[in-house]
Amino acid sequence: MPVFYETEIASPLMLGTALYPSPDVLADAFRRSGAGVATVSLRRESAGGGDFWELIRELDIPVLPNTAGCHSVREAVTTAHMAREVFDTDWIKLEVIGHADTLQPDPFGLVEAARILSEDGFRVFPYTTEDGVLAGKLLDAGCEVLMPWGAPIGTGRGLMNPYGLRTLRAQFPEVPMVVDAGLGLPSHAAQVMEMGFDAVLLNTAVAQAGDPAAMAEGFALALRAGKLAYDADPMEPRDMAQPSTPLMGLAVLE
């Protein structure tokens, strides 16, 4: 199972808690998926009050607060400190958004905020791109986990740059990595695990499905299949056909 900051989680599925049609549906999705981490935002907790926080506690899994919607270093750092007080954890998913339409991370603000928070004792999970140079700077800033995007948040488009993600995985083979954002189908999650990533984080694909609990279970099964495939050392693609039945021993017809 994945290990983040010396903590082993029970599943490679990290599931968000926003957008569900009801608290009961949310709870059912978590039960059927066996998700290993619940991501929460300070804004969501403020809106839901104590009932929401009690529901999250009852899930009995690690909580990963995030700085969703923050567009500046100051805003992200302030939100992280508030989240640590509310959720009683030093884990923080760090988002510093640089573009309002694509929700692409601001690389400069992300590194600065990551350094500040790491020095303040946070265990930072940075939402980043597949850029290897940026990844190296985040590691230098104190991050021990990387969370590259699959596609822009909420698009459900799957992996927009598989080559870039494979390159990033190969560049930092020992760093725990979570593909975060843009996954829409369980097949996308299987593809992530087949590449050797440690986990996925998603929300919209489950919460806005016609049957969120069934979709959550589908993602959990796909993650297991992808991990099994990766561990099995799959064959390399070939350019030419190769028969699976040997030619020796075939009947000779005259």
Side-chain angles (χ1 to χ4, degrees):
M1 288 297 108
V3 177
F4 304 123
Y5 292 105
E6 296 84 49
T7 299
E8 183 178 63
I9 64 173
S11 164
L13 177 58
M14 306 169 76
L15 193 56
T17 56
L19 304 175
Y20 291 85
S22 74
D24 288 342
V25 171
L26 184 156
D28 194 24
F30 271 85
R31 280 193 295 268
R32 287 183 60 177
S33 70
V37 171
T39 64
V40 295
S41 70
L42 189 64
R43 290 173 176 82
R44 179 68 180 86
E45 159 63 12
S46 299
D51 291 343
F52 173 75
W53 184 215
E54 186 59 33
L55 172 61
I56 299 304
R57 288 178 187 273
E58 290 175 358
L59 297 175
D60 194 29
I61 57 176
V63 173
L64 178 62
N66 65 49
T67 64
C70 292
H71 290 257
S72 71
V73 172
R74 181 178 180 182
E75 186 181 10
V77 169
T78 300
T79 301
H81 278 276
M82 294 171 66
R84 181 159 65 179
E85 293 183 15
V86 171
F87 298 110
D88 191 29
T89 178
D90 57 7
W91 282 17
I92 191 72
K93 177 191 168 186
L94 178 62
E95 294 184 25
V96 183
I97 301 302
H99 193 277
D101 291 331
T102 64
L103 302 181
Q104 179 171 334
D106 170 4
F108 309 103
L110 185 64
V111 172
E112 182 181 351
R115 180 173 290 108
I116 292 170
L117 292 173
S118 294
E119 291 173 352
D120 286 343
F122 284 89
R123 306 296 187 92
V124 180
F125 294 69
Y127 167 62
T128 182
T129 66
E130 67 276 20
D131 187 320
V133 175
L134 174 56
K137 292 186 180 299
L138 288 168
L139 296 173
D140 291 342
C143 299
E144 297 180 17
V145 176
L146 296 172
M147 302 185 77
W149 65 352
I153 294 171
T155 61
R157 300 188 65 85
L159 305 186
M160 298 290 284
N161 185 6
Y163 171 79
L165 288 169
R166 287 193 185 93
T167 301
L168 183 67
R169 178 70 281 181
Q171 186 175 351
F172 302 100
E174 303 303 320
V175 176
M177 290 191 195
V178 182
V179 172
D180 174 20
L183 305 186
L185 293 169
S187 56
H188 300 156
Q191 186 180 7
V192 167
M193 300 304 287
E194 289 166 2
M195 290 181 178
F197 285 88
D198 299 278
V200 303
L201 192 158
L202 53 95
N203 190 162
T204 308
V206 168
Q208 295 196 329
D211 186 339
M215 184 63 78
E217 184 177 354
F219 270 100
L221 294 171
L223 286 165
R224 183 169 183 268
K227 182 64 166 64
L228 285 171
Y230 176 76
D231 289 342
D233 190 17
M235 62 173 282
E236 293 291 330
R238 303 186 180 112
D239 291 328
M240 299 295 292
Q242 180 174 317
S244 57
T245 302
L247 297 178
M248 289 186 70
L250 289 179
V252 178
L253 303 178
E254 297 181 357

